[in-house]
Amino acid sequence: MGIIGHGEFGTVSKVFHKPSQTFMALKRLLPTVGNQRERNKALKELDFVLECHEYEYVVKFYGVKFNNEPADCLICMELMDTSLEKFYKYVYDIKNEEIPED
């Protein structure tokens, strides 16, 4: 449905999964062939998602797919209303408040 964000490792798109009738965020990690350092960073990010996806305040993880051509990784996650960065800026800069630790 379109790109909704981008970062150091790739892009995030809003997609619709027809079988489950669910909107999702599809994070595409860019090809890292030939660059072991970048590949390790991407795998570290994937490890974090896999370890933390069941926590109450972490976005839901739906699945991952590795492609050979191009050599990228697709991660399907819960679609949020906004990014953490935008939410953080709204709370701290506009509302002049803090996010509680708990």
Side-chain angles (χ1 to χ4, degrees), residues 1-7 10-17 22-30 62 73-80:
M1 299 181 79
I3 293 176
I4 57 174
H6 55 84
T11 60
V12 180
S13 299
K14 180 179 179 179
V15 299
F16 184 71
H17 184 250
T22 304
F23 287 98
M24 297 181 186
L26 176 68
K27 186 170 196 175
R28 169 171 264 145
L29 302 180
L30 298 173
Y62 295 125
C73 172
L74 305 173
I75 302 173
C76 291
M77 301 177 75
E78 177 181 9
L79 181 65
M80 304 303 294

Side-chain angles (χ1 to χ4, degrees), residues 14-88:
K14 180 179 179 179
V15 299
F16 184 71
H17 184 250
K18 289 179 184 177
S20 66
Q21 297 291 295
T22 304
F23 287 98
M24 297 181 186
L26 176 68
K27 186 170 196 175
R28 169 171 264 145
L29 302 180
L30 298 173
T32 56
V33 174
N35 189 335
Q36 190 62 40
R37 184 172 162 216
E38 291 299 314
R39 184 177 308 164
N40 288 344
K41 281 180 167 180
L43 290 174
K44 188 179 239 183
E45 181 170 343
L46 179 58
D47 282 342
F48 174 78
V49 170
L50 293 172
E51 288 176 21
C52 300
H53 79 277
E54 291 184 17
Y55 294 137
E56 182 179 3
Y57 297 109
V58 176
V59 296
K60 291 183 181 91
F61 168 76
Y62 295 125
V64 62
K65 181 177 189 243
F66 294 94
N67 289 329
N68 290 330
E69 292 294 326
D72 60 5
C73 172
L74 305 173
I75 302 173
C76 291
M77 301 177 75
E78 177 181 9
L79 181 65
M80 304 303 294
D81 293 331
T82 189
S83 70
L84 179 60
E85 180 182 8
K86 289 177 185 174
F87 179 68
Y88 183 89

